[in-house]
């Protein structure tokens, strides 16, 4: 049960956006079960429970509701002293002390290894890798732009993780990693509490400065001025600057011209929306990591029914894995369709074998009687195998019934066809696309 609910932690992690706090307070929580409308969780001790109640209850509620798609959730917290991982990590570290130097501030799940390269992001990925390998020496500044959920934050974390692993930067203290929003808050606080010197110390004495979502500083004059000076100080001492943005420098409104031109000094790399192969590859990679066998067919089904946001794509997969582990059912297309109903743009249309035969034959310019026949000519074998494969995956029908509908063939012939298509799909990206197109027509 617990395994099924743990994805909630990941959602909380993204929500609170603070690795120190996440590791201290959320990671040790065990999500026990979900009964009625109540999520049961256990924590190591009384102190922990009080802290969660005071600081994180609402966040947990919101994130659990989002994941379980259930409103008005109740959260019940139990104390399970046996699991006191908290004691082991004593002395108690409060969140505001977690930013001590030496702690890796980066999300260790976001590395270059876990980043799937596709046509849409290969340029940005390569630029980031080069920067991590020799900060300040290749592309400076590096400006990455792309839409929401396309991997910008992942790449920044990857740079940080890689630079520390490769020791091109010696300590986390030498990397400043912040967001446009946090940077703005820091400027405001520094001004308010007269701590400008401390602020400058912090941002101007690093080897890498990374600011995520820089668009946030648009329209904020004092912040822009401060960033401008920070930029110059780092740039002249050949320190690396990396920023991400949701748009191209020219399209950022309300930003000072001198800043815009600074962004254009170095390399500008874009991340485009992923194509279907990249989305499939991401789903496969992530499911492998979770030790889940996701068939190509299901991966394609999910990838083709979603937009370009990879965060949402991952959300769907997490949901499938969770429900599969909660119910013990394998992840098939009908299962995915059921679990993701209302979330993905899937029609409720039920498909029958006749529909599939018609569309496949149309696609290949042959007659339905041809794929029902026993003829072994190349022009018919492939479409026949594809139609059998799709029938198995899109309709709730047994192997022998499929054989029956293809002119009375044996169920072993159907198995052979399915295996054949599965193995072709592994090595032929064009076939993935063809199947996508055919499926689009079947559901049209
Ligand atoms: P952005 O900052 O551009 O809004 P994120 O970097 O937060 O997007 O990415 C959203 C999610 O998608 C993250 O969980 C990230 O790991 C994942 N993701 C994005 N691109 C890729 C990729 N190419 N390979 C693997 N995971 C990716
Ligand atoms: Mg981001």
């Amino acid at each position: 049960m617990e395994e099924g609910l743990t994805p909630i932690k990941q959602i909380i992690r993204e929500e609170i956006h603070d690795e120190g706090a996440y590791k201290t307070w959320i990671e040790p929580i065990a999500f026990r079960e979900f009964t009625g409308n109540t999520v049961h969780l256990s924590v190591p001790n009384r102190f922990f429970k009080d802290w969660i109640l005071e600081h994180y209850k609402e966040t947990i509620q919101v994130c659990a509701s989002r994941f379980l798609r259930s409103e008005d959730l109740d959260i019940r917290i139990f104390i399970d002293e046996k699991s006191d991982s908290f004691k082991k990590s004593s002395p108690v570290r409060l969140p505001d002390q977690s930013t001590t130097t030496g702690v890796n501030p980066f999300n260790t799940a976001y590395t270059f290894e876990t980043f799937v390269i596709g046509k849409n992001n290969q340029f940005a990925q390569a630029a980031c890798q080069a920067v991590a390998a020799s900060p300040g020496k290749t592309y400076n500044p590096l400006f990455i732009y792309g839409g929401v959920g396309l991997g910008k934050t992942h790449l920044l974390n990857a740079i940080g993780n890689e630079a520390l692993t490769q020791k091109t930067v010696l300590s986390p203290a030498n990397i400043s990693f912040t967001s446009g929003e946090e940077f703005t808050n820091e400027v405001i606080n520094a001004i308010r509490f007269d701590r400008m010197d401390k602020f400058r110390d912090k941002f101007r004495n690093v080897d890498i400065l990374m600011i995520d979502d820089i668009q946030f500083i648009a329209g904020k004059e004092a912040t822009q001025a401060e960033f401008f000076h920070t930029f110059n100080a780092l740039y002249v001492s050949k320190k690396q600057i990396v920023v991400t943005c949701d748009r191209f420098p020219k399209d950022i409104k309300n930003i000072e011209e001198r800043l815009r031109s600074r962004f254009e000094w170095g390399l500008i790399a874009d991340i485009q929306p992923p194509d279907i192969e990249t989305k499939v590859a991401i789903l496969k990679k992530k499911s492998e990591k979770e030790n889940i066998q996701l068939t190509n067919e299901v991966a394609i089904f999910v990838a083709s029914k979603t937009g370009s946001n990879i965060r949402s794509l991952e959300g769907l997969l997490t949901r499938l894995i969770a429900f599969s582990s909660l119910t013990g059912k394998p992840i098939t297309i009908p299962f995915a369709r059921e679990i993701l109903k209302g979330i993905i743009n899937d029609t409720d249309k039920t498909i029958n074998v006749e529909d599939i035969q018609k569309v496949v034959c149309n696609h290949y310019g042959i007659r339905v009687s041809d794929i029902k026949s026993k003829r072994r000519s190349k022009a018919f074998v492939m479409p026949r195998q594809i139609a059998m494969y799709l029938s198995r995956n899109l309709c709730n029908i047994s192997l022998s019934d499929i054989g029956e509908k293809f002119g009375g063939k044996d169920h072993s012939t159907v198995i052979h066809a399915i295996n054949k298509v599965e193995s072709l799909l592994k090595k032929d990206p064009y076939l993935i696309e063809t199947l996508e197109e055919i499926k689009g027509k079947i559901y049209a």
Side-chain angles (χ1 to χ4, degrees):
M1 183 67 79
E2 189 190 338
E3 219 165 68
L5 294 173
T6 39
I8 296 171
K9 286 192 195 172
Q10 194 51 38
I11 300 175
I12 299 173
R13 182 184 208 159
E14 278 164 23
E15 183 77 23
I16 61 179
H17 229 82
D18 176 342
E19 274 301 289
Y22 172 80
K23 290 219 165 81
T24 312
W25 300 110
I26 308 300
E27 212 165 63
I29 299 177
F31 283 81
R32 293 286 178 216
E33 55 178 350
F34 175 47
T35 49
N37 222 18
T38 306
V39 175
H40 301 258
L41 38 101
S42 63
V43 299
N45 55 43
R46 155 77 40 197
F47 173 73
F48 203 107
K49 178 175 174 178
D50 293 342
W51 188 277
I52 296 288
L53 284 173
E54 198 171 325
H55 297 91
Y56 293 108
K57 189 171 176 213
E58 259 176 49
T59 309
I60 294 174
Q61 236 158 359
V62 168
C63 295
S65 297
R66 206 182 298 158
F67 176 66
L68 295 161
R69 310 201 114 232
S70 165
E71 280 169 20
D72 305 322
L73 277 186
D74 250 350
I75 301 289
R76 299 199 52 190
I77 305 178
F78 298 90
I79 295 168
D80 177 6
E81 282 172 350
K82 284 196 296 301
S83 76
D84 202 345
S85 53
F86 200 59
K87 263 187 206 145
K88 287 174 222 143
S89 65
S90 60
V92 176
R93 217 184 62 201
L94 300 180
D96 54 348
Q97 295 171 322
S98 67
T99 44
T100 46
T101 56
V103 180
N104 181 351
F106 300 103
N107 184 336
T108 48
Y110 291 174
T111 60
F112 286 121
E113 286 77 50
T114 57
F115 191 82
V116 173
I117 302 172
K119 279 195 286 266
N120 61 312
N121 60 28
Q122 59 191 13
F123 185 51
Q125 191 275 348
C128 289
Q129 210 153 26
V131 158
S134 44
K137 299 210 176 67
T138 45
Y139 311 117
N140 204 20
L142 173 60
F143 185 99
I144 300 165
Y145 77 95
V148 181
L150 297 187
K152 300 183 296 296
T153 302
H154 186 134
L155 281 176
L156 290 189
N157 279 279
I159 292 177
N161 284 316
E162 181 80 5
L164 291 172
T165 313
Q166 283 196 26
K167 300 208 169 20
T168 53
V169 171
L170 292 181
S171 140
N174 298 343
I175 309 181
S176 202
F177 174 38
T178 183
S179 64
E181 185 173 3
E182 267 177 70
F183 188 83
T184 305
N185 289 338
E186 298 225 22
V187 172
I188 293 168
N189 284 330
I191 297 171
R192 246 177 74 198
F193 301 111
D194 202 17
R195 285 195 315 231
M196 218 55 214
D197 288 348
K198 219 173 146 205
F199 173 91
R200 287 177 184 147
D201 255 12
K202 175 171 172 187
F203 287 105
R204 296 186 191 178
N205 293 318
V206 292
D207 295 330
I208 306 183
L209 169 67
M210 297 198 273
I211 301 190
D212 204 4
D213 294 315
I214 192 83
Q215 72 273 4
F216 197 86
I217 70 170
K220 305 191 172 70
E221 275 170 42
T223 307
Q224 286 187 43
E226 204 48 51
F227 177 72
F228 180 75
H229 296 301
T230 307
F231 183 105
N232 291 342
L234 291 170
Y235 190 83
V236 294
S237 39
K238 298 207 162 31
K239 304 301 187 190
Q240 181 69 48
I241 300 148
V242 187
V243 298
T244 71
C245 190
D246 64 351
R247 67 204 73 182
F248 194 71
K250 281 215 166 41
D251 301 327
I252 315 174
K253 292 204 185 73
N254 297 322
I255 193 144
E256 286 180 41
E257 211 38 56
R258 56 180 188 169
L259 257 188
R260 195 197 308 278
S261 81
R262 291 283 183 295
F263 291 149
E264 292 167 356
W265 277 0
L267 183 73
I268 300 178
D270 65 333
I271 307 184
Q272 293 295 325
D275 52 22
I276 196 117
E277 288 90 339
T278 309
K279 288 202 273 179
V280 168
I282 289 171
L283 288 170
K284 297 284 264 185
K285 183 148 190 159
K286 188 158 161 99
S287 51
E288 265 162 34
K289 203 177 133 236
E290 308 284 330
N291 278 322
I292 302 287
Q293 279 277 344
L294 190 73
T295 65
N296 284 330
E297 188 55 40
V298 173
I300 294 166
F301 171 79
V302 175
S304 64
K305 303 260 177 245
T306 50
S308 60
N309 188 328
I310 295 169
R311 192 175 298 118
S312 324
L313 186 70
E314 287 182 340
L316 298 181
L317 178 66
T318 306
R319 195 172 163 78
L320 284 180
I321 293 175
F323 277 84
S324 159
S325 103
L326 286 169
T327 58
K329 289 187 186 160
I331 306 176
T332 58
I333 295 220
F335 176 82
R337 178 166 287 139
E338 172 64 29
I339 297 302
L340 305 180
K341 200 161 62 194
I343 311 176
I344 55 173
N345 48 0
D346 183 23
T347 52
D348 260 335
K349 194 170 161 186
T350 42
I351 302 300
N352 55 39
V353 174
E354 285 74 19
D355 296 325
I356 294 172
Q357 290 173 332
K358 238 184 274 165
V359 174
V360 171
C361 289
N362 225 327
H363 184 92
Y364 286 100
I366 58 177
R367 287 170 307 178
V368 172
S369 59
D370 291 328
I371 57 170
K372 287 190 182 175
S373 75
K374 292 204 157 49
R375 296 173 61 191
R376 308 266 330 138
S377 125
K378 225 174 153 189
F380 306 136
V381 172
M382 181 74 174
R384 186 183 294 137
Q385 290 177 333
I386 287 179
M388 286 179 168
Y389 170 83
L390 288 173
S391 301
R392 176 61 172 172
N393 278 286
L394 304 181
C395 316
N396 239 331
I397 183 171
S398 72
L399 293 169
S400 44
D401 284 347
I402 294 175
E404 204 46 52
K405 288 186 182 286
F406 282 79
K409 296 197 172 54
D410 199 74
H411 88 281
S412 62
T413 310
V414 181
I415 292 180
H416 173 74
I418 293 169
N419 289 342
K420 181 77 206 243
V421 176
E422 282 271 8
S423 81
L424 283 175
L425 278 174
K426 284 202 185 97
K427 45 191 186 217
D428 185 358
Y430 291 107
L431 187 61
I432 297 183
E433 220 163 85
T434 306
L435 282 194
E436 232 3 84
E437 204 185 318
I438 293 175
K439 266 179 11 198
K441 289 182 195 153
I442 293 173
Y443 281 104

